[in-house]
Coordinates of all heavy atoms in Angstrom, one line a residue:
M1 N 16.6 -1.0 -6.7 CA 15.4 -0.8 -5.8 C 15.5 -1.6 -4.6 O 15.6 -3.0 -4.8 CB 14.1 -1.1 -6.6 CG 12.8 -1.0 -6.0 SD 12.0 0.7 -5.7 CE 11.8 1.3 -7.5
D2 N 15.6 -1.1 -3.4 CA 15.7 -2.0 -2.2 C 14.5 -1.9 -1.4 O 13.6 -1.1 -1.8 CB 16.9 -1.7 -1.4 CG 16.9 -0.2 -0.8 OD1 15.7 0.4 -0.8 OD2 18.0 0.3 -0.5
C3 N 14.4 -2.6 -0.3 CA 13.2 -2.7 0.5 C 12.6 -1.3 1.0 O 11.4 -1.0 0.9 CB 13.3 -3.6 1.6 SG 13.6 -5.4 1.3
N4 N 13.5 -0.5 1.2 CA 13.1 0.8 1.7 C 12.5 1.7 0.6 O 11.5 2.3 0.8 CB 14.4 1.7 2.3 CG 14.8 1.1 3.6 OD1 14.0 0.6 4.4 ND2 16.1 1.3 3.8
E5 N 13.1 1.6 -0.5 CA 12.6 2.3 -1.7 C 11.1 1.7 -2.1 O 10.3 2.6 -2.3 CB 13.4 2.2 -3.0 CG 14.7 3.0 -2.9 CD 15.6 2.9 -4.1 OE1 16.4 1.9 -4.0 OE2 15.6 3.6 -5.0
V6 N 11.1 0.5 -2.1 CA 9.8 -0.3 -2.3 C 8.8 0.3 -1.3 O 7.6 0.7 -1.7 CB 9.8 -1.8 -2.3 CG1 8.6 -2.3 -2.4 CG2 10.8 -2.2 -3.4
A7 N 9.1 0.3 0.1 CA 8.2 0.7 1.0 C 7.7 2.1 0.8 O 6.5 2.4 1.0 CB 8.7 0.5 2.4
A8 N 8.7 3.0 0.4 CA 8.3 4.4 0.3 C 7.3 4.6 -1.0 O 6.7 5.6 -1.1 CB 9.7 5.1 -0.1
N9 N 7.4 3.6 -1.9 CA 6.5 3.8 -3.1 C 5.3 2.9 -3.1 O 4.4 3.1 -4.0 CB 7.4 3.3 -4.3 CG 8.3 4.5 -4.7 OD1 7.9 5.5 -5.0 ND2 9.6 4.1 -4.8
L10 N 5.1 2.2 -2.1 CA 3.9 1.2 -2.0 C 2.6 1.9 -2.1 O 1.7 1.5 -2.9 CB 3.9 0.3 -0.7 CG 4.8 -0.9 -0.8 CD1 4.7 -1.6 0.5 CD2 4.5 -1.7 -2.0
Q11 N 2.4 3.0 -1.5 CA 1.1 3.7 -1.4 C 0.9 4.3 -2.8 O -0.2 4.1 -3.3 CB 1.2 4.8 -0.4 CG 0.7 4.4 0.9 CD 0.5 5.6 1.9 OE1 1.6 6.0 2.4 NE2 -0.7 6.1 2.1
L12 N 1.9 4.7 -3.4 CA 1.7 5.3 -4.8 C 1.4 4.1 -5.7 O 0.6 4.4 -6.7 CB 2.9 6.1 -5.3 CG 3.3 7.3 -4.4 CD1 4.7 7.8 -4.9 CD2 2.3 8.4 -4.7
L13 N 2.0 3.1 -5.5 CA 1.7 1.8 -6.4 C 0.3 1.4 -6.3 O -0.3 1.3 -7.4 CB 2.7 0.7 -5.9 CG 2.5 -0.6 -6.8 CD1 3.0 -0.4 -8.2 CD2 3.3 -1.7 -6.0
V14 N -0.3 1.3 -5.2 CA -1.7 0.9 -5.1 C -2.6 1.9 -5.6 O -3.7 1.6 -6.0 CB -2.1 0.4 -3.6 CG1 -1.5 -0.9 -3.2 CG2 -1.8 1.6 -2.6
D15 N -2.2 3.1 -5.6 CA -3.0 4.3 -6.1 C -2.7 4.5 -7.6 O -3.3 5.3 -8.2 CB -2.6 5.7 -5.4 CG -3.3 5.6 -4.1 OD1 -4.2 4.9 -3.6 OD2 -2.7 6.4 -3.1
D16 N -1.8 3.6 -8.2 CA -1.6 3.7 -9.6 C -1.1 5.1 -10.0 O -1.3 5.7 -11.0 CB -2.9 3.5 -10.4 CG -3.1 2.0 -10.7 OD1 -2.1 1.2 -10.7 OD2 -4.3 1.6 -10.7
E17 N -0.2 5.5 -9.1 CA 0.5 6.9 -9.4 C 1.9 6.8 -9.8 O 2.6 7.8 -9.6 CB 0.2 7.8 -8.2 CG -1.3 8.3 -8.2 CD -1.6 9.1 -7.0 OE1 -0.7 9.5 -6.1 OE2 -2.9 9.2 -6.7
L18 N 2.4 5.7 -10.2 CA 3.8 5.6 -10.4 C 3.9 5.4 -12.0 O 3.1 4.8 -12.7 CB 4.4 4.3 -9.8 CG 4.6 4.5 -8.3 CD1 5.0 3.2 -7.6 CD2 5.5 5.5 -7.9
P19 N 5.1 5.8 -12.5 CA 5.4 5.6 -14.0 C 5.7 4.0 -14.2 O 6.1 3.4 -13.2 CB 6.7 6.4 -14.2 CG 7.3 6.6 -12.8 CD 6.1 6.7 -11.8
E20 N 5.3 3.6 -15.3 CA 5.5 2.2 -15.6 C 6.9 1.6 -15.4 O 6.9 0.6 -14.8 CB 5.2 2.0 -17.2 CG 5.0 0.6 -17.6 CD 3.9 -0.2 -16.9 OE1 2.8 0.5 -16.6 OE2 4.0 -1.4 -16.7
E21 N 7.9 2.4 -15.6 CA 9.2 1.9 -15.3 C 9.3 1.6 -13.8 O 10.0 0.4 -13.5 CB 10.1 3.2 -15.6 CG 11.2 2.9 -16.5 CD 12.0 4.2 -16.7 OE1 12.9 4.5 -15.8 OE2 11.8 4.9 -17.7
T22 N 9.0 2.5 -13.0 CA 9.1 2.2 -11.5 C 8.2 1.0 -11.1 O 8.6 0.2 -10.3 CB 8.6 3.5 -10.7 OG1 9.2 4.6 -11.4 CG2 9.0 3.4 -9.3
I23 N 7.1 0.9 -11.6 CA 6.1 -0.2 -11.3 C 6.9 -1.5 -11.7 O 6.9 -2.5 -10.8 CB 4.8 -0.2 -12.2 CG1 4.0 1.1 -11.6 CG2 4.0 -1.4 -12.0 CD1 2.8 1.3 -12.4
Q24 N 7.5 -1.6 -12.8 CA 8.4 -2.8 -13.2 C 9.4 -3.0 -12.2 O 9.6 -4.3 -11.8 CB 8.9 -2.6 -14.6 CG 8.0 -2.7 -15.7 CD 7.1 -4.0 -15.7 OE1 7.6 -5.0 -15.2 NE2 5.9 -3.9 -16.1
E25 N 10.1 -2.1 -11.7 CA 11.2 -2.3 -10.7 C 10.7 -2.9 -9.5 O 11.3 -3.7 -8.9 CB 11.9 -1.0 -10.5 CG 12.9 -0.6 -11.6 CD 13.7 0.7 -11.1 OE1 14.3 0.7 -10.0 OE2 13.5 1.7 -11.9
I26 N 9.5 -2.3 -9.0 CA 8.9 -2.8 -7.8 C 8.5 -4.2 -8.1 O 8.7 -5.1 -7.2 CB 7.7 -1.9 -7.4 CG1 8.3 -0.6 -7.0 CG2 7.0 -2.5 -6.3 CD1 7.2 0.5 -6.7
R27 N 7.8 -4.5 -9.1 CA 7.4 -5.9 -9.4 C 8.5 -6.9 -9.3 O 8.3 -7.9 -8.7 CB 6.7 -6.0 -10.9 CG 5.3 -5.3 -10.9 CD 4.4 -6.2 -11.6 NE 3.0 -5.5 -11.6 CZ 2.5 -4.7 -12.6 NH1 3.2 -4.6 -13.7 NH2 1.4 -4.2 -12.5
V28 N 9.6 -6.6 -10.0 CA 10.7 -7.4 -9.9 C 11.2 -7.7 -8.4 O 11.4 -8.8 -8.0 CB 12.0 -6.9 -10.7 CG1 13.2 -7.6 -10.5 CG2 11.6 -6.8 -12.2
H29 N 11.2 -6.6 -7.6 CA 11.6 -6.8 -6.3 C 10.5 -7.7 -5.5 O 11.0 -8.5 -4.8 CB 11.7 -5.3 -5.7 CG 12.1 -5.5 -4.2 ND1 13.4 -5.3 -3.7 CD2 11.4 -5.6 -3.1 CE1 13.5 -5.5 -2.5 NE2 12.2 -5.6 -2.0
L30 N 9.3 -7.4 -5.7 CA 8.2 -8.1 -5.1 C 8.3 -9.6 -5.3 O 8.0 -10.4 -4.5 CB 6.8 -7.6 -5.4 CG 6.4 -6.3 -5.0 CD1 5.1 -5.9 -5.3 CD2 6.5 -6.2 -3.4
E31 N 8.7 -9.9 -6.5 CA 8.9 -11.4 -7.0 C 10.0 -12.1 -6.1 O 9.9 -13.3 -5.9 CB 9.2 -11.5 -8.4 CG 8.0 -11.4 -9.2 CD 8.4 -11.5 -10.7 OE1 9.4 -12.0 -11.0 OE2 7.5 -10.9 -11.5
N32 N 10.9 -11.4 -5.5 CA 12.0 -11.9 -4.8 C 11.9 -11.6 -3.3 O 12.9 -11.9 -2.6 CB 13.2 -11.4 -5.4 CG 13.4 -11.8 -6.9 OD1 13.4 -13.0 -7.1 ND2 13.4 -10.8 -7.6
C33 N 11.0 -10.9 -2.8 CA 11.0 -10.3 -1.5 C 9.6 -10.6 -0.8 O 8.7 -9.8 -1.1 CB 11.5 -9.0 -1.4 SG 11.6 -8.3 0.1
G34 N 9.6 -11.7 0.0 CA 8.3 -12.0 0.7 C 7.8 -10.9 1.7 O 6.7 -10.6 1.7
G35 N 8.8 -10.2 2.4 CA 8.3 -9.2 3.3 C 7.7 -8.0 2.6 O 6.7 -7.4 3.0
C36 N 8.2 -7.6 1.4 CA 7.7 -6.5 0.7 C 6.3 -6.9 0.1 O 5.4 -6.0 0.0 CB 8.6 -6.0 -0.4 SG 10.0 -5.1 0.2
I37 N 6.1 -8.3 -0.3 CA 4.8 -8.6 -0.8 C 3.8 -8.4 0.3 O 2.7 -7.9 0.1 CB 4.8 -10.1 -1.2 CG1 5.6 -10.1 -2.6 CG2 3.4 -10.6 -1.5 CD1 5.7 -11.5 -3.1
E38 N 4.1 -8.8 1.6 CA 3.2 -8.6 2.7 C 2.7 -7.2 2.9 O 1.6 -6.9 3.1 CB 3.9 -9.2 4.0 CG 3.7 -10.7 4.1 CD 4.2 -11.3 5.3 OE1 4.2 -10.5 6.4 OE2 4.8 -12.4 5.3
K39 N 3.8 -6.2 2.8 CA 3.4 -4.9 3.0 C 2.6 -4.4 1.8 O 1.7 -3.7 2.0 CB 4.8 -4.0 3.0 CG 5.6 -4.2 4.3 CD 6.9 -3.5 4.3 CE 7.9 -3.9 5.2 NZ 9.2 -3.4 5.0
F40 N 2.9 -4.9 0.6 CA 2.1 -4.5 -0.5 C 0.6 -5.0 -0.3 O -0.3 -4.2 -0.5 CB 2.7 -5.1 -1.8 CG 1.9 -4.9 -3.0 CD1 1.6 -3.7 -3.5 CD2 1.3 -6.0 -3.8 CE1 0.8 -3.4 -4.6 CE2 0.6 -5.8 -4.8 CZ 0.2 -4.5 -5.3
E41 N 0.5 -6.3 0.1 CA -0.9 -6.8 0.4 C -1.6 -6.0 1.4 O -2.8 -5.7 1.3 CB -0.7 -8.3 0.8 CG -0.2 -9.2 -0.3 CD -1.2 -9.3 -1.5 OE1 -2.4 -9.0 -1.4 OE2 -0.7 -9.4 -2.6
A42 N -0.8 -5.6 2.5 CA -1.5 -4.8 3.5 C -1.9 -3.4 3.0 O -3.0 -3.0 3.3 CB -0.5 -4.7 4.7
E43 N -1.1 -2.8 2.2 CA -1.4 -1.6 1.6 C -2.7 -1.7 0.8 O -3.7 -0.8 0.8 CB -0.4 -1.0 0.7 CG 0.8 -0.3 1.5 CD 0.5 1.0 2.1 OE1 -0.6 1.6 1.9 OE2 1.3 1.4 3.0
K44 N -2.7 -2.7 0.0 CA -4.0 -3.0 -0.9 C -5.2 -3.2 0.0 O -6.3 -2.6 -0.2 CB -3.6 -4.1 -1.7 CG -3.2 -3.9 -3.1 CD -3.4 -4.9 -4.1 CE -3.2 -6.3 -3.6 NZ -3.1 -7.3 -4.8
A45 N -5.0 -4.0 1.1 CA -6.1 -4.2 2.0 C -6.6 -2.9 2.7 O -7.8 -2.7 2.7 CB -5.7 -5.2 3.0
F46 N -5.6 -2.1 3.0 CA -5.9 -0.9 3.6 C -6.9 0.0 2.7 O -7.8 0.6 3.1 CB -4.7 -0.1 3.9 CG -4.9 1.3 4.4 CD1 -5.6 1.6 5.6 CD2 -4.3 2.4 3.6 CE1 -5.7 3.0 5.9 CE2 -4.5 3.7 4.0 CZ -5.3 4.0 5.1
K47 N -6.4 0.0 1.3 CA -7.1 0.8 0.5 C -8.6 0.3 0.3 O -9.5 1.1 0.1 CB -6.4 0.8 -0.9 CG -6.5 2.2 -1.6 CD -6.1 2.2 -3.0 CE -6.6 3.3 -3.7 NZ -6.3 3.2 -5.1
E48 N -8.7 -1.0 0.3 CA -10.0 -1.6 0.1 C -10.9 -1.1 1.3 O -12.1 -0.7 1.2 CB -9.9 -3.1 0.2 CG -9.1 -3.7 -0.9 CD -9.8 -4.0 -2.1 OE1 -10.8 -4.7 -2.1 OE2 -9.5 -3.4 -3.1
V49 N -10.3 -1.2 2.6 CA -11.2 -0.8 3.7 C -11.6 0.6 3.6 O -12.7 1.0 3.8 CB -10.2 -1.0 5.1 CG1 -11.0 -0.3 6.1 CG2 -10.0 -2.5 5.2
L50 N -10.6 1.5 3.3 CA -10.9 3.0 3.1 C -12.0 3.2 2.1 O -13.0 3.9 2.3 CB -9.6 3.6 2.4 CG -8.7 4.1 3.4 CD1 -7.8 5.1 2.7 CD2 -9.3 4.7 4.7
R51 N -11.9 2.5 0.9 CA -12.9 2.7 -0.1 C -14.3 2.4 0.3 O -15.3 3.1 0.2 CB -12.6 1.8 -1.3 CG -13.1 2.3 -2.6 CD -12.8 1.4 -3.8 NE -11.5 1.5 -4.2 CZ -10.7 0.4 -4.5 NH1 -11.2 -0.9 -4.3 NH2 -9.4 0.6 -4.9
E52 N -14.3 1.3 1.1 CA -15.6 0.8 1.7 C -16.2 1.9 2.8 O -17.3 2.2 2.8 CB -15.4 -0.5 2.5 CG -16.5 -1.4 2.4 CD -16.1 -2.7 3.1 OE1 -16.2 -2.8 4.3 OE2 -15.7 -3.7 2.2
K53 N -15.3 2.3 3.6 CA -15.7 3.2 4.8 C -16.0 4.5 4.2 O -17.0 5.2 4.6 CB -14.6 3.3 5.8 CG -14.2 2.0 6.4 CD -15.2 1.5 7.5 CE -14.7 0.2 8.1 NZ -15.7 -0.4 8.9
I54 N -15.2 5.0 3.3 CA -15.4 6.4 2.7 C -16.7 6.5 2.1 O -17.3 7.7 2.1 CB -14.2 6.8 1.8 CG1 -13.0 7.2 2.8 CG2 -14.7 7.9 1.1 CD1 -11.8 7.5 2.1
C55 N -17.3 5.6 1.5 CA -18.5 5.5 0.9 C -19.6 5.7 1.9 O -20.6 6.4 1.6 CB -18.7 4.2 0.1 SG -17.6 4.0 -1.3
K56 N -19.3 5.2 3.1 CA -20.4 5.2 4.1 C -20.4 6.6 4.8 O -21.5 7.0 5.2 CB -20.3 4.2 5.0 CG -20.7 2.8 4.3 CD -20.4 1.6 5.2 CE -20.5 0.3 4.4 NZ -19.8 -0.9 4.9
K57 N -19.2 7.0 5.1 CA -19.3 8.3 5.9 C -18.0 9.1 5.6 O -17.0 8.4 5.1 CB -19.3 8.1 7.4 CG -18.3 7.1 8.0 CD -18.3 6.9 9.5 CE -17.1 6.2 10.0 NZ -17.1 6.0 11.4
C58 N -18.0 10.3 6.0 CA -16.8 11.2 5.7 C -15.8 10.9 6.9 O -16.1 11.2 8.1 CB -17.1 12.6 5.7 SG -15.8 13.6 5.3
A59 N -14.7 10.3 6.7 CA -13.8 9.9 7.6 C -12.8 11.0 8.1 O -12.1 11.6 7.2 CB -13.0 8.7 7.2
P60 N -12.6 11.2 9.4 CA -11.6 12.2 9.8 C -10.2 11.8 9.7 O -10.0 10.5 9.7 CB -12.0 12.5 11.3 CG -12.8 11.4 11.6 CD -13.4 10.7 10.5
G61 N -9.3 12.6 9.6 CA -7.8 12.2 9.4 C -7.3 11.2 10.4 O -6.6 10.3 10.0
A62 N -7.7 11.5 11.7 CA -7.1 10.7 12.8 C -7.6 9.4 12.6 O -6.9 8.3 12.9 CB -7.5 11.5 14.0
W63 N -8.9 9.2 12.3 CA -9.5 7.9 12.2 C -8.7 7.1 11.0 O -8.5 6.0 11.2 CB -10.9 8.0 11.8 CG -11.6 6.7 11.6 CD1 -12.1 5.9 12.7 CD2 -11.9 6.0 10.4 NE1 -12.7 4.7 12.1 CE2 -12.5 4.9 10.7 CE3 -11.6 6.3 9.1 CZ2 -13.0 4.0 9.7 CZ3 -11.8 5.4 8.1 CH2 -12.6 4.2 8.5
L64 N -8.4 7.8 9.9 CA -7.7 7.2 8.8 C -6.4 6.5 9.3 O -6.1 5.5 9.0 CB -7.5 8.1 7.7 CG -8.6 8.5 6.9 CD1 -8.3 9.5 5.8 CD2 -9.4 7.3 6.4
E65 N -5.7 7.4 10.1 CA -4.4 6.9 10.6 C -4.6 5.6 11.5 O -3.7 4.8 11.4 CB -3.7 8.0 11.3 CG -2.9 9.0 10.5 CD -1.9 8.1 9.5 OE1 -1.1 7.3 10.0 OE2 -2.0 8.4 8.3
D66 N -5.7 5.7 12.2 CA -5.9 4.6 13.1 C -6.1 3.3 12.3 O -5.6 2.1 12.7 CB -7.4 4.9 13.8 CG -7.1 5.1 15.3 OD1 -6.0 5.6 15.5 OD2 -8.0 4.7 16.0
V67 N -6.9 3.4 11.3 CA -7.2 2.2 10.5 C -5.9 1.8 9.8 O -5.6 0.6 9.8 CB -8.3 2.5 9.4 CG1 -8.5 1.3 8.4 CG2 -9.6 2.9 10.1
R68 N -5.2 2.7 9.3 CA -4.0 2.4 8.5 C -2.9 1.7 9.5 O -2.5 0.6 9.1 CB -3.3 3.8 8.1 CG -2.1 3.4 7.2 CD -1.7 4.7 6.4 NE -0.8 4.2 5.4 CZ 0.5 4.2 5.6 NH1 1.0 4.6 6.6 NH2 1.3 3.7 4.6
S69 N -2.8 2.2 10.7 CA -1.8 1.4 11.5 C -2.4 0.0 11.9 O -1.6 -0.9 12.0 CB -1.5 2.2 12.8 OG -2.3 3.4 12.9
S70 N -3.7 0.0 12.1 CA -4.2 -1.4 12.5 C -4.0 -2.4 11.3 O -3.7 -3.6 11.4 CB -5.7 -1.3 13.0 OG -6.4 -1.1 12.0
V71 N -4.2 -2.0 10.1 CA -4.1 -2.9 9.0 C -2.7 -3.2 8.7 O -2.3 -4.3 8.5 CB -4.7 -2.1 7.7 CG1 -4.4 -3.1 6.5 CG2 -6.2 -2.2 7.9
L72 N -1.8 -2.1 8.9 CA -0.4 -2.4 8.5 C 0.4 -2.9 9.6 O 1.4 -3.5 9.3 CB 0.3 -0.9 8.2 CG -0.3 -0.2 6.8 CD1 0.5 0.9 6.6 CD2 -0.3 -1.2 5.8
L73 N -0.1 -2.9 10.8 CA 0.7 -3.6 11.9 C 1.0 -5.0 11.7 O 2.0 -5.5 12.0 CB -0.3 -3.4 13.1 CG 0.3 -3.4 14.5 CD1 1.2 -2.2 14.5 CD2 -0.7 -3.4 15.5
K74 N 0.0 -5.7 10.8 CA 0.2 -7.1 10.6 C 1.5 -7.3 9.6 O 2.1 -8.4 9.8 CB -1.0 -7.7 9.8 CG -2.3 -7.7 10.8 CD -3.5 -7.9 9.9 CE -4.7 -7.5 10.7 NZ -5.8 -7.2 9.9
A75 N 1.7 -6.3 8.8 CA 2.8 -6.6 7.9 C 4.1 -6.0 8.4 O 5.2 -6.5 8.1 CB 2.5 -5.9 6.5
Y76 N 4.2 -5.0 9.2 CA 5.3 -4.3 9.6 C 5.9 -4.9 10.9 O 5.3 -5.5 11.7 CB 5.1 -2.8 9.8 CG 5.1 -2.1 8.5 CD1 3.9 -1.9 7.7 CD2 6.3 -1.6 7.9 CE1 3.9 -1.4 6.5 CE2 6.3 -0.8 6.7 CZ 5.1 -0.7 5.9 OH 5.0 -0.1 4.8
Ligands
ZN101 ZN1 11.9 -6.1 -0.2

């Protein structure tokens, strides 16, 4: 598992949609890679924001992308 693979799986990871095996591989990588931890934290933060906003109103797709880039910008 390298940084690109981890990045490709991060969203699935925060959504709990990965098999246990893959989660373990990512965890091992995260323990040794500060950059990926930051991306992971950003994805988690993004999801929290979404959860909060989606409860309040129905968010259009373009708006979601906006929020996503503004949150992830810090990590990427
Ligand atoms: Zn990495």
Side-chain angles (χ1 to χ4, degrees):
M1 183 80 57
D2 63 22
C3 293
N4 287 334
E5 284 176 278
V6 171
N9 281 304
L10 274 184
Q11 271 183 282
L12 294 173
L13 179 67
V14 286
D15 285 339
D16 274 329
E17 282 172 16
L18 289 173
E20 190 59 35
E21 238 179 78
T22 315
I23 294 174
Q24 284 308 327
E25 281 183 58
I26 294 177
R27 287 226 174 98
V28 171
H29 182 95
L30 287 182
E31 278 171 25
N32 301 296
C33 184
C36 285
I37 287 182
E38 276 181 34
K39 288 177 198 170
F40 174 62
E41 295 295 333
E43 283 288 350
K44 269 203 313 199
F46 170 64
K47 216 192 159 187
E48 304 271 303
V49 172
L50 273 199
R51 201 181 286 135
E52 210 173 89
K53 303 279 184 193
I54 281 174
C55 293
K56 290 173 189 158
K57 60 175 182 180
C58 189
W63 179 86
L64 287 184
E65 274 310 306
D66 250 33
V67 175
R68 184 161 195 272
S69 3
S70 68
V71 172
L72 294 185
L73 209 63
K74 293 167 198 157
Y76 282 87

